[in-house]
Amino acid sequence: GRGGVGDAAAAPSETGAGVMRAVSAVFNEPELLSLGVINALYEASLHVFVFVWTPALERRGGDRAVPHGVVFSLFMACKMAGSQAYTAFGERVPAGTTLRAVFLGSLIAFATPIAFHGYWITLLCFCGFEFGLGMYWPAIAVLRAELVPNRLRATMTSVFRVPLNALVIACLAFAGSSSEPGFLAMCAGMMTSCLFVARHRALNKEAA
């Protein structure tokens, strides 16, 4: 009985200590901080995209009925194609380089529909974003495996989700007052930030 009570009491303190170690590692290691920023910004833009793609296509479709099921299936096919593309050349290209290409492509995919309001070009851009998403997941997983110590991996994932969730809540808080082009601009801004962080806060451990 006493052992069980002691273990139960110790568990929260051990969890708290693990979280503090992960937070300390993030702020003491520039590569981990860069990884956390990239993780939060990119995945926040993904959450915003989920909300914005339907009204974006409907507004550009005019009298055309948007086949939501077909479009969603097309998105999934593009994401799978991106994943297969990474499988084909991922071992030959550093994960950081792949991510920079994904961020640049995603920036173009979000910025183009702001300037050009055609239905088909918008759909093509959104498919391009999904293709990049298919490359992003395995590339970021490789980078986490290279940069995050094994003992902190599970805790670090939870720590990275704190700024991600805060960013998503902040974005959605403006949902009522922001327009669809405003959300696309927000996503483009987050991709620009990802690209800046990936280029100028170099993921040095990967290059070492």
Side-chain angles (χ1 to χ4, degrees):
R2 291 182 180 178
V5 173
D7 291 344
S13 62
E14 291 176 3
T15 301
V19 170
M20 292 307 299
R21 281 195 299 270
V23 171
S24 176
V26 167
F27 285 102
N28 288 326
E29 295 284 343
E31 297 87 359
L32 291 180
L33 182 60
S34 297
L35 184 64
V37 170
I38 286 170
N39 181 87
L41 289 171
Y42 186 87
E43 295 184 27
S45 75
L46 171 60
H47 283 77
V48 174
F49 173 74
V50 169
F51 285 93
V52 81
W53 75 261
T54 297
L57 291 178
E58 287 177 346
R59 187 169 73 86
R60 290 162 173 77
D63 296 332
R64 179 192 295 110
V66 177
H68 297 93
V70 174
V71 171
F72 183 77
S73 298
L74 183 60
F75 286 169
M76 294 302 100
C78 290
K79 185 166 71 172
M80 185 179 299
S83 179
Q84 291 301 311
Y86 185 84
T87 301
F89 67 78
E91 292 184 359
R92 299 191 295 273
V93 180
T97 301
T98 300
L99 288 174
R100 286 190 286 272
V102 168
F103 300 149
L104 178 60
S106 298
L107 170 58
I108 295 170
F110 286 129
T112 301
I114 299 173
F116 301 96
H117 298 157
Y119 175 86
W120 293 108
I121 191 169
T122 300
L123 179 59
L124 180 63
C125 287
F126 288 173
C127 287
F129 172 73
E130 289 286 346
F131 180 86
L133 179 62
M135 299 178 68
Y136 168 83
W137 291 121
I140 199 71
V142 168
L143 211 52
R144 283 196 194 106
E146 292 177 352
L147 297 178
V148 180
N150 286 334
R151 71 184 188 282
L152 296 177
R153 194 157 295 161
T155 309
M156 193 73 72
T157 300
S158 300
V159 168
F160 284 167
R161 289 199 175 277
V162 173
L164 166 61
N165 292 337
L167 196 53
V168 170
I169 291 171
C171 291
L172 296 182
F174 293 99
S177 58
S178 182
S179 63
E180 165 253 309
F183 277 119
L184 290 174
M186 188 186 302
C187 290
M190 287 190 279
M191 291 304 95
T192 302
S193 299
C194 282
L195 195 57
F196 178 83
V197 171
R199 285 177 60 86
H200 296 284
R201 294 194 64 118
L203 300 172
N204 295 321
K205 287 186 178 178
E206 180 191 34

